[in-house]
Coordinates of all heavy atoms in Angstrom, one line a residue:
E1 N 6.0 24.4 -8.1 CA 5.2 24.5 -6.9 C 5.2 23.0 -6.3 O 5.1 22.9 -5.1 CB 3.8 25.0 -7.2 CG 3.1 25.3 -5.9 CD 2.1 26.4 -6.2 OE1 2.5 27.6 -6.4 OE2 0.9 26.1 -6.1
N2 N 5.2 22.0 -7.1 CA 5.2 20.6 -6.5 C 6.7 20.3 -6.2 O 7.5 20.0 -7.1 CB 4.7 19.7 -7.5 CG 4.8 18.2 -7.1 OD1 5.1 17.9 -5.9 ND2 4.6 17.3 -8.0
F3 N 7.1 20.5 -4.9 CA 8.4 20.2 -4.6 C 8.6 19.0 -3.7 O 9.6 18.8 -3.0 CB 9.1 21.4 -3.9 CG 8.3 21.9 -2.7 CD1 8.6 21.4 -1.4 CD2 7.3 22.9 -2.9 CE1 7.9 21.9 -0.3 CE2 6.6 23.3 -1.8 CZ 7.0 22.8 -0.5
L4 N 7.6 18.1 -3.7 CA 7.7 16.8 -3.0 C 8.5 15.8 -4.0 O 8.2 15.9 -5.1 CB 6.4 16.3 -2.7 CG 5.5 17.0 -1.7 CD1 4.2 16.3 -1.4 CD2 6.3 17.2 -0.3
T5 N 9.2 15.0 -3.3 CA 9.9 13.9 -4.1 C 8.9 12.9 -4.6 O 7.8 12.8 -4.0 CB 11.0 13.3 -3.4 OG1 10.4 12.5 -2.3 CG2 12.0 14.3 -2.8
P6 N 9.3 12.1 -5.6 CA 8.3 11.0 -6.0 C 8.0 10.1 -4.8 O 6.9 9.6 -4.7 CB 9.1 10.3 -7.1 CG 10.0 11.4 -7.7 CD 10.4 12.3 -6.5
L7 N 9.0 9.8 -3.9 CA 8.8 8.9 -2.8 C 7.8 9.6 -1.8 O 6.9 8.9 -1.3 CB 10.1 8.6 -2.1 CG 9.9 7.7 -0.9 CD1 9.4 6.3 -1.2 CD2 11.3 7.6 -0.1
E8 N 7.9 10.9 -1.6 CA 7.0 11.5 -0.7 C 5.6 11.5 -1.2 O 4.6 11.3 -0.5 CB 7.5 13.0 -0.4 CG 8.8 13.1 0.4 CD 9.5 14.4 0.4 OE1 9.2 15.2 -0.6 OE2 10.2 14.6 1.3
V9 N 5.4 11.7 -2.5 CA 4.1 11.6 -3.2 C 3.6 10.2 -3.0 O 2.4 10.1 -2.6 CB 4.2 12.1 -4.7 CG1 2.9 11.8 -5.4 CG2 4.6 13.5 -4.8
K10 N 4.4 9.2 -3.2 CA 4.0 7.9 -3.0 C 3.5 7.6 -1.6 O 2.5 6.9 -1.4 CB 5.1 6.9 -3.4 CG 4.7 5.4 -3.3 CD 5.0 4.8 -4.7 CE 4.7 3.3 -4.5 NZ 3.5 2.9 -5.2
R11 N 4.1 8.1 -0.6 CA 3.7 7.9 0.8 C 2.4 8.5 1.0 O 1.5 7.9 1.6 CB 4.8 8.5 1.7 CG 6.1 7.8 1.8 CD 6.0 6.4 2.1 NE 7.3 5.8 2.2 CZ 7.7 4.8 1.4 NH1 7.0 4.3 0.5 NH2 8.9 4.3 1.6
L12 N 2.1 9.7 0.5 CA 0.8 10.3 0.6 C -0.3 9.5 -0.1 O -1.4 9.3 0.4 CB 0.8 11.7 0.1 CG 1.6 12.8 1.0 CD1 1.6 14.1 0.3 CD2 1.0 12.9 2.4
Q13 N 0.1 9.0 -1.3 CA -0.9 8.2 -2.0 C -1.2 6.9 -1.2 O -2.4 6.5 -1.2 CB -0.3 7.9 -3.4 CG -0.3 9.0 -4.4 CD 0.5 8.7 -5.6 OE1 1.4 7.9 -5.7 NE2 0.2 9.4 -6.7
M14 N -0.2 6.3 -0.7 CA -0.4 5.1 0.1 C -1.3 5.3 1.4 O -2.2 4.6 1.7 CB 0.8 4.4 0.6 CG 1.7 3.9 -0.6 SD 0.8 2.7 -1.7 CE 0.8 1.3 -0.6
L15 N -1.1 6.5 2.0 CA -1.9 6.9 3.2 C -3.3 7.0 2.7 O -4.3 6.6 3.4 CB -1.3 8.1 3.8 CG -2.0 8.5 5.1 CD1 -1.7 7.5 6.1 CD2 -1.4 9.9 5.6
I16 N -3.6 7.7 1.6 CA -4.9 7.9 1.1 C -5.6 6.6 0.7 O -6.7 6.3 1.1 CB -4.9 8.9 -0.1 CG1 -4.5 10.3 0.3 CG2 -6.2 9.0 -0.8 CD1 -4.0 11.2 -0.8
K17 N -4.8 5.7 0.0 CA -5.3 4.5 -0.5 C -5.8 3.6 0.7 O -6.8 2.9 0.6 CB -4.2 3.7 -1.3 CG -4.7 2.3 -1.7 CD -3.5 1.7 -2.5 CE -4.0 0.3 -3.0 NZ -2.9 -0.4 -3.7
H18 N -5.1 3.7 1.8 CA -5.4 2.9 3.0 C -6.2 3.7 4.1 O -6.2 3.3 5.2 CB -4.1 2.3 3.6 CG -3.5 1.3 2.7 ND1 -4.0 0.0 2.5 CD2 -2.4 1.4 1.8 CE1 -3.2 -0.6 1.6 NE2 -2.3 0.2 1.2
R19 N -6.8 4.7 3.6 CA -7.8 5.5 4.4 C -7.2 5.9 5.7 O -7.9 5.9 6.8 CB -9.0 4.8 4.5 CG -9.7 4.5 3.2 CD -11.0 3.8 3.4 NE -11.6 3.6 2.0 CZ -12.8 3.2 1.8 NH1 -13.6 3.0 2.8 NH2 -13.2 3.1 0.6
G20 N -5.9 6.4 5.7 CA -5.3 6.9 6.9 C -4.8 5.8 7.8 O -4.2 6.2 8.9
N21 N -4.9 4.6 7.5 CA -4.4 3.5 8.3 C -2.9 3.4 8.2 O -2.4 2.9 7.2 CB -5.1 2.2 8.0 CG -4.7 1.1 8.9 OD1 -3.5 0.9 9.3 ND2 -5.7 0.3 9.3
L22 N -2.1 3.9 9.2 CA -0.7 4.0 9.0 C -0.1 2.6 9.0 O 0.9 2.4 8.2 CB -0.1 4.7 10.3 CG -0.4 6.2 10.3 CD1 0.1 6.8 11.7 CD2 0.3 6.9 9.1
K23 N -0.6 1.6 9.7 CA 0.0 0.3 9.7 C -0.1 -0.3 8.3 O 0.9 -0.9 7.8 CB -0.7 -0.6 10.8 CG -0.1 -1.9 10.9 CD -0.7 -2.8 11.9 CE 0.0 -4.2 11.9 NZ -0.7 -5.1 12.8
K24 N -1.3 -0.2 7.7 CA -1.5 -0.8 6.4 C -0.7 -0.1 5.3 O -0.1 -0.7 4.4 CB -3.0 -0.8 6.1 CG -3.8 -1.8 6.8 CD -5.2 -1.9 6.4 CE -6.1 -2.9 7.2 NZ -7.5 -2.9 6.8
A25 N -0.7 1.3 5.4 CA 0.1 2.0 4.4 C 1.6 1.7 4.5 O 2.2 1.6 3.5 CB -0.2 3.5 4.7
A26 N 2.0 1.6 5.8 CA 3.5 1.3 5.9 C 3.8 -0.1 5.4 O 4.8 -0.3 4.7 CB 3.8 1.4 7.4
E27 N 3.0 -1.1 5.7 CA 3.1 -2.5 5.2 C 3.1 -2.5 3.7 O 4.0 -3.1 3.1 CB 2.0 -3.4 5.8 CG 2.2 -3.7 7.2 CD 1.1 -4.6 7.8 OE1 0.1 -4.9 7.0 OE2 1.1 -4.8 9.0
A28 N 2.2 -1.8 3.1 CA 2.1 -1.7 1.6 C 3.4 -1.1 1.1 O 3.7 -1.3 -0.1 CB 0.9 -1.1 1.2
S29 N 3.9 -0.2 1.8 CA 5.2 0.6 1.4 C 6.4 -0.2 1.7 O 7.5 0.3 1.4 CB 5.3 1.9 2.0 OG 4.1 2.7 1.7
C30 N 6.3 -1.3 2.4 CA 7.5 -2.1 2.8 C 8.4 -1.4 3.7 O 9.6 -1.5 3.6 CB 8.2 -2.7 1.6 SG 7.2 -3.8 0.6
V31 N 7.8 -0.6 4.6 CA 8.6 0.1 5.7 C 7.9 -0.1 7.0 O 6.7 -0.5 7.1 CB 8.8 1.6 5.4 CG1 9.6 1.8 4.1 CG2 7.5 2.3 5.3
S32 N 8.6 0.2 8.1 CA 8.0 0.1 9.4 C 7.1 1.3 9.6 O 7.2 2.3 9.0 CB 9.1 0.1 10.5 OG 9.7 1.4 10.6
V33 N 6.2 1.1 10.5 CA 5.3 2.2 10.9 C 6.1 3.4 11.4 O 5.8 4.6 11.0 CB 4.2 1.8 11.9 CG1 3.4 3.0 12.5 CG2 3.4 0.7 11.4
H34 N 7.1 3.2 12.1 CA 8.0 4.2 12.6 C 8.6 5.0 11.4 O 8.6 6.2 11.5 CB 9.1 3.7 13.5 CG 10.0 4.6 14.1 ND1 9.7 5.4 15.1 CD2 11.3 5.0 13.7 CE1 10.8 6.3 15.3 NE2 11.8 6.0 14.5
T35 N 9.1 4.3 10.5 CA 9.7 5.0 9.3 C 8.7 5.8 8.6 O 8.9 6.9 8.1 CB 10.4 3.9 8.4 OG1 11.4 3.3 9.1 CG2 10.9 4.6 7.1
F36 N 7.5 5.2 8.4 CA 6.4 5.9 7.7 C 6.0 7.1 8.4 O 5.8 8.2 7.7 CB 5.2 4.9 7.5 CG 4.2 5.3 6.5 CD1 4.4 4.9 5.2 CD2 3.1 6.1 6.8 CE1 3.5 5.2 4.2 CE2 2.2 6.4 5.8 CZ 2.4 6.0 4.5
K37 N 5.9 7.1 9.7 CA 5.6 8.3 10.5 C 6.6 9.3 10.4 O 6.3 10.5 10.2 CB 5.4 7.9 12.0 CG 4.1 7.2 12.3 CD 4.0 6.9 13.8 CE 2.7 6.2 14.2 NZ 2.6 6.0 15.6
N38 N 7.9 8.9 10.4 CA 9.0 9.9 10.2 C 8.9 10.6 8.8 O 9.1 11.7 8.7 CB 10.4 9.2 10.4 CG 10.7 9.0 11.8 OD1 10.1 9.6 12.7 ND2 11.6 8.1 12.0
E39 N 8.6 9.7 7.8 CA 8.5 10.3 6.5 C 7.3 11.3 6.3 O 7.5 12.4 5.7 CB 8.3 9.2 5.4 CG 9.6 8.4 5.3 CD 9.5 7.1 4.4 OE1 8.4 6.6 4.2 OE2 10.5 6.7 3.9
L40 N 6.3 11.0 7.0 CA 5.1 11.9 7.0 C 5.5 13.2 7.8 O 5.1 14.3 7.4 CB 3.9 11.3 7.7 CG 3.2 10.2 6.9 CD1 2.1 9.5 7.7 CD2 2.7 10.6 5.5
A41 N 6.3 13.1 8.8 CA 6.7 14.3 9.6 C 7.6 15.2 8.7 O 7.4 16.4 8.7 CB 7.5 13.9 10.8
W42 N 8.4 14.6 7.9 CA 9.3 15.4 6.9 C 8.4 16.0 5.9 O 8.7 17.2 5.5 CB 10.3 14.4 6.3 CG 11.5 14.2 7.1 CD1 11.8 13.0 7.7 CD2 12.5 15.1 7.5 NE1 13.0 13.2 8.4 CE2 13.5 14.4 8.3 CE3 12.8 16.5 7.2 CZ2 14.6 15.1 8.8 CZ3 13.9 17.1 7.7 CH2 14.8 16.4 8.5
I43 N 7.4 15.3 5.4 CA 6.5 15.9 4.4 C 5.8 17.1 5.0 O 5.7 18.2 4.4 CB 5.5 14.9 3.9 CG1 6.2 13.8 3.1 CG2 4.4 15.5 3.1 CD1 5.4 12.6 2.8
R44 N 5.3 16.9 6.3 CA 4.5 18.0 7.0 C 5.5 19.2 7.1 O 5.1 20.4 6.8 CB 4.1 17.6 8.3 CG 2.8 16.7 8.2 CD 2.1 16.5 9.6 NE 3.0 16.1 10.6 CZ 3.4 14.8 10.9 NH1 2.8 13.9 10.3 NH2 4.2 14.6 11.9
A45 N 6.7 19.0 7.6 CA 7.7 20.1 7.8 C 8.0 20.8 6.5 O 8.1 22.0 6.4 CB 9.0 19.5 8.4
K46 N 8.2 20.0 5.3 CA 8.5 20.6 4.1 C 7.3 21.5 3.6 O 7.6 22.5 3.0 CB 8.6 19.4 3.1 CG 9.5 19.7 1.9 CD 9.7 18.4 1.1 CE 10.9 18.4 0.3 NZ 11.1 17.3 -0.6
L47 N 6.1 21.1 3.8 CA 4.9 21.8 3.4 C 4.5 22.9 4.4 O 3.7 23.8 4.1 CB 3.8 20.9 3.1 CG 4.0 19.9 2.1 CD1 2.7 18.9 2.0 CD2 4.3 20.5 0.7
G48 N 5.0 22.9 5.6 CA 4.6 23.8 6.6 C 3.2 23.4 7.1 O 2.5 24.3 7.6
A49 N 2.9 22.2 7.0 CA 1.5 21.7 7.5 C 1.7 21.3 8.9 O 2.6 20.6 9.4 CB 1.1 20.5 6.6
R50 N 0.6 21.6 9.7 CA 0.6 21.2 11.1 C 0.2 19.7 11.3 O 0.6 19.1 12.3 CB -0.3 22.1 11.9 CG 0.3 23.5 12.1 CD -0.6 24.4 12.8 NE -1.5 24.9 11.8 CZ -2.8 25.3 12.0 NH1 -3.2 25.5 13.2 NH2 -3.5 25.7 11.0
T51 N -0.7 19.3 10.4 CA -1.2 17.9 10.5 C -1.0 17.2 9.2 O -0.8 17.8 8.1 CB -2.6 17.9 10.8 OG1 -3.4 18.5 9.7 CG2 -3.0 18.7 12.1
T52 N -1.1 15.9 9.2 CA -1.0 15.1 8.0 C -2.2 15.4 7.1 O -2.1 15.4 5.9 CB -0.9 13.6 8.4 OG1 0.3 13.4 9.2 CG2 -0.8 12.7 7.1
L53 N -3.3 15.6 7.7 CA -4.5 16.0 6.9 C -4.3 17.2 6.1 O -4.7 17.3 5.0 CB -5.7 16.1 7.9 CG -7.0 16.5 7.2 CD1 -7.4 15.4 6.1 CD2 -8.2 16.7 8.1
E54 N -3.6 18.2 6.7 CA -3.3 19.5 6.0 C -2.4 19.1 4.8 O -2.6 19.7 3.7 CB -2.6 20.5 6.9 CG -3.5 21.2 7.8 CD -2.8 22.2 8.6 OE1 -1.6 22.6 8.3 OE2 -3.4 22.7 9.6
A55 N -1.5 18.2 5.0 CA -0.5 17.8 3.9 C -1.3 17.1 2.8 O -1.1 17.4 1.6 CB 0.6 16.9 4.4
V56 N -2.2 16.3 3.1 CA -3.0 15.5 2.1 C -3.9 16.5 1.4 O -4.1 16.4 0.2 CB -3.9 14.4 2.9 CG1 -4.9 13.9 1.9 CG2 -3.0 13.4 3.4
I57 N -4.5 17.4 2.1 CA -5.4 18.5 1.4 C -4.5 19.3 0.5 O -5.0 19.6 -0.6 CB -6.1 19.3 2.5 CG1 -7.2 18.5 3.2 CG2 -6.7 20.6 1.8 CD1 -7.7 19.2 4.4
W58 N -3.3 19.7 0.9 CA -2.5 20.4 0.0 C -2.2 19.6 -1.3 O -2.2 20.2 -2.4 CB -1.1 20.7 0.7 CG -0.1 21.5 -0.1 CD1 0.0 22.8 -0.3 CD2 0.8 20.8 -1.0 NE1 1.0 23.1 -1.2 CE2 1.5 21.9 -1.6 CE3 1.2 19.5 -1.3 CZ2 2.6 21.6 -2.6 CZ3 2.2 19.3 -2.2 CH2 2.9 20.4 -2.8
A59 N -1.9 18.4 -1.1 CA -1.6 17.5 -2.2 C -2.8 17.4 -3.2 O -2.6 17.4 -4.4 CB -1.2 16.1 -1.7
F60 N -3.9 17.3 -2.7 CA -5.1 17.2 -3.5 C -5.3 18.6 -4.3 O -5.6 18.6 -5.5 CB -6.4 17.0 -2.7 CG -6.7 15.5 -2.6 CD1 -6.6 14.9 -1.3 CD2 -7.1 14.7 -3.6 CE1 -6.8 13.5 -1.2 CE2 -7.4 13.4 -3.5 CZ -7.2 12.8 -2.3
Q61 N -5.2 19.7 -3.6 CA -5.4 21.0 -4.1 C -4.3 21.3 -5.2 O -4.7 22.0 -6.2 CB -5.3 22.1 -3.0 CG -6.5 22.1 -2.1 CD -6.3 23.1 -1.0 OE1 -5.3 23.5 -0.7 NE2 -7.5 23.5 -0.4
K62 N -3.1 20.8 -5.1 CA -2.1 21.1 -6.1 C -2.1 20.0 -7.2 O -1.3 20.1 -8.1 CB -0.7 21.1 -5.4 CG -0.5 22.2 -4.4 CD -0.7 23.5 -5.0 CE -0.6 24.6 -3.9 NZ -0.8 25.9 -4.4
G63 N -3.0 19.0 -7.1 CA -3.1 18.0 -8.1 C -1.9 17.0 -8.0 O -1.7 16.3 -9.0
V64 N -1.3 16.9 -6.9 CA -0.1 16.0 -6.7 C -0.7 14.5 -6.5 O -0.1 13.6 -7.0 CB 0.7 16.4 -5.4 CG1 1.8 15.4 -5.1 CG2 1.3 17.8 -5.7
V65 N -1.9 14.4 -5.9 CA -2.5 13.1 -5.7 C -3.9 13.3 -6.2 O -4.5 14.4 -6.3 CB -2.5 12.6 -4.2 CG1 -1.0 12.4 -3.8 CG2 -3.2 13.6 -3.4
Q66 N -4.6 12.1 -6.5 CA -6.0 12.2 -6.9 C -6.8 11.1 -6.1 O -6.3 10.2 -5.6 CB -6.1 11.8 -8.4 CG -5.4 12.8 -9.2 CD -5.5 12.5 -10.7 OE1 -6.0 11.5 -11.1 NE2 -5.1 13.4 -11.5

């Protein structure tokens, strides 16, 4: 059921760690904000989530992130 890659999980974890601040999460991930947003878009598409919040909630419910 967990079909996110380790990198995708890490991106969600970074977003949570930085309380939704894309700039800080991207900087901590050593990628541009543009790249970080694109990665989040791929995660949303993969999960069928309309919003990043839905993707984060899914990750919490499935135990992918804590």
Side-chain angles (χ1 to χ4, degrees):
E1 196 152 287
N2 174 14
F3 55 92
L4 294 179
T5 67
L7 179 64
E8 291 166 338
V9 171
K10 181 122 177 109
R11 293 302 186 242
L12 289 175
Q13 289 171 333
M14 294 305 285
L15 188 63
I16 293 163
K17 179 179 179 181
H18 294 282
R19 298 179 180 194
N21 186 316
L22 290 174
K23 184 178 179 188
K24 288 183 180 180
E27 287 174 0
S29 300
C30 300
V31 298
S32 71
V33 173
H34 179 76
T35 298
F36 198 86
K37 285 181 178 180
N38 282 341
E39 291 172 338
L40 290 176
W42 280 108
I43 292 168
R44 287 192 309 269
K46 206 176 202 185
L47 298 177
R50 286 174 282 157
T51 66
T52 301
L53 179 58
E54 283 183 14
V56 169
I57 290 169
W58 178 91
F60 272 109
Q61 289 175 336
K62 300 298 181 184
V64 175
V65 297
Q66 295 181 356

